[in-house]
Each structure stands twice: as C-alpha cells, then as structure tokens.
Amino acid sequence: MKALLLPLLGIAGFNTHAQDSTSIGRVVPDIRLRNVDGRTLSFAGFPEAKGFIVVFTCNHCPFAKLYSDRLNDLQARYSHQGVPLLAINSMDTLVYSEESFALMQERAKNEGFTFPYLYDDLQRAGKAFGAEHTPHAFVIWKERGVWVIRYSGAIDDNGQEPDKATPFVANAVDGLLLNGRVRTPVTTSFGCRIFYRK
C-alpha cells in the first residue's frame, strides 16, 4: 500500500476489502442505462467492441474524484482499439442526494468526461458485476458472444500520484489485446462502499 493512500483510509466508508477472485470468468448480462447526455446505452450498442473497461464510480467519494483525468486517458488510449470505457454510478440516491442524475450531468460537464457516465438507479448493473465500492474497475471481454469478466479491482495502486502508479487496468487490457491473457486478474481496490437496497 502506498503511504500517500493512508490518510484517505480514515474517511468513513472507506475499506480495503480484497476482491473476490470468483468474479473472474463470470458472464455479465448486457446493460441498458441512461447516459448523462440522455441517451440509453448498452454493450450491444458497441458492435465493434472487443471488450470494455467498466468503472463503478460516483460523485461524492473523495477517492473516486482522484481518477477523472485517468479515466479520460484510458478512454483515449483504448477506445480506438475496440475497448471503450464506461463509468457507472450505482450509489443509492436515497442515501446520497449528491448522486442524483442532474449532479452526474454537472460533474461530467465540469470535469470534461470523454466517456459515458451511466446512471444505475435500480443498482442492477452494480449487483450483476459485484461492484463493492468506488472506484471499482472491471475489464470484460467478448467470448463466444457473451461478456466475461477478465479483470476486477483497482484502476491502479496510487490515487494521489499517477506517475508512480502501477496501471492495473491498462496492463490487463494490454495483455488481452496482445495474447488474450491477464497476468494479474484480481487486485484490491479502495473507495467508498456501495450500499445496495434490498
């Protein structure tokens, strides 16, 4: 763990729970979620996609806020290679009023998001993936016509200093594009817990 992450771990709602390795190889269903531009998007709407970087994030989490530029960078680097990035907000708006769709739109505009930011108001996508906190990243890959989780965990291992971080998501995508393999399929992510309604 990087020393600079330690102050963030004292914030209520943060945790260091290790990701469940059983998610690797799990098939996830297609999604139909509203983007901040008002359109409804799905995996099927990207017929040329080889895979997706799916990042569960939100508006209020201090740790998630550190990653806006890095998400834009991942989108710029991989979307033209057939691996676009989709950000999904599965936070409970009944608990966190700052996670409203209107405030998602405001954040996406203010921070210059170049990727879709999708509203999972019924929390179905979060449950299907097993997303636990924000940010929680997944790389899914198209295999025999279905979407399979090939990576789960952190975007990288240094929220405060990107230049010193090990780029877990980028490494996973590079491996899949190169030879179909992910050397490190599971890492531990940090962030605010996603609380699911029953």
Side-chain angles (χ1 to χ4, degrees):
M1 182 187 306
K2 302 292 185 183
L4 287 172
L5 294 180
L6 292 177
L8 288 173
L9 300 181
I11 299 173
F14 278 74
N15 68 85
T16 59
H17 180 65
Q19 309 305 291
D20 183 356
S21 63
T22 61
S23 67
I24 303 304
R26 180 195 305 164
V27 173
V28 291
D30 200 351
I31 60 170
R32 286 186 57 81
L33 298 174
R34 185 166 46 143
N35 186 25
V36 289
D37 65 3
R39 295 182 301 154
T40 297
L41 299 184
S42 67
F43 297 146
F46 297 79
E48 304 302 317
K50 301 171 185 176
F52 290 92
I53 300 166
V54 179
V55 179
F56 289 86
T57 188
C58 68
N59 294 335
H60 81 275
C61 180
F63 201 72
K65 290 177 181 179
L66 297 174
Y67 281 88
S68 296
D69 288 343
R70 274 171 275 188
L71 296 185
N72 279 338
D73 289 345
L74 287 168
Q75 171 73 350
R77 178 174 176 181
Y78 292 112
S79 60
H80 73 281
Q81 298 185 65
V83 191
L85 186 145
L86 302 177
I88 300 177
N89 188 338
S90 297
M91 280 289 184
D92 187 351
T93 55
L94 298 177
V95 177
Y96 300 105
S97 60
E98 58 265 60
E99 301 304 335
S100 70
F101 184 71
L103 291 178
M104 286 176 58
Q105 292 177 307
E106 184 177 314
R107 182 184 178 210
K109 180 180 179 180
N110 290 343
E111 299 190 21
F113 286 180
T114 58
F115 49 85
Y117 188 23
L118 306 174
Y119 185 43
D120 184 23
D121 55 327
L122 299 179
Q123 300 186 302
R124 290 174 179 164
K127 290 177 181 177
F129 275 81
E132 296 181 350
H133 28 65
T134 58
H136 189 160
F138 296 84
V139 177
I140 62 173
W141 216 249
K142 195 170 191 178
E143 300 179 6
R144 298 190 179 99
V146 297
W147 298 104
V148 179
I149 296 175
R150 300 296 304 274
Y151 172 81
S152 171
I155 298 167
D156 58 41
D157 65 350
N158 195 323
Q160 301 229 358
E161 295 183 285
D163 294 341
K164 297 181 179 180
T166 301
F168 298 132
V169 165
N171 288 346
V173 176
D174 286 342
L176 288 164
L177 289 171
L178 179 64
N179 57 25
R181 298 179 182 177
V182 179
R183 179 172 293 183
T184 305
V186 179
T187 63
T188 299
S189 62
F190 301 88
C192 299
R193 179 165 291 280
I194 300 172
F195 293 100
Y196 290 103
R197 299 185 293 273
K198 300 295 185 182

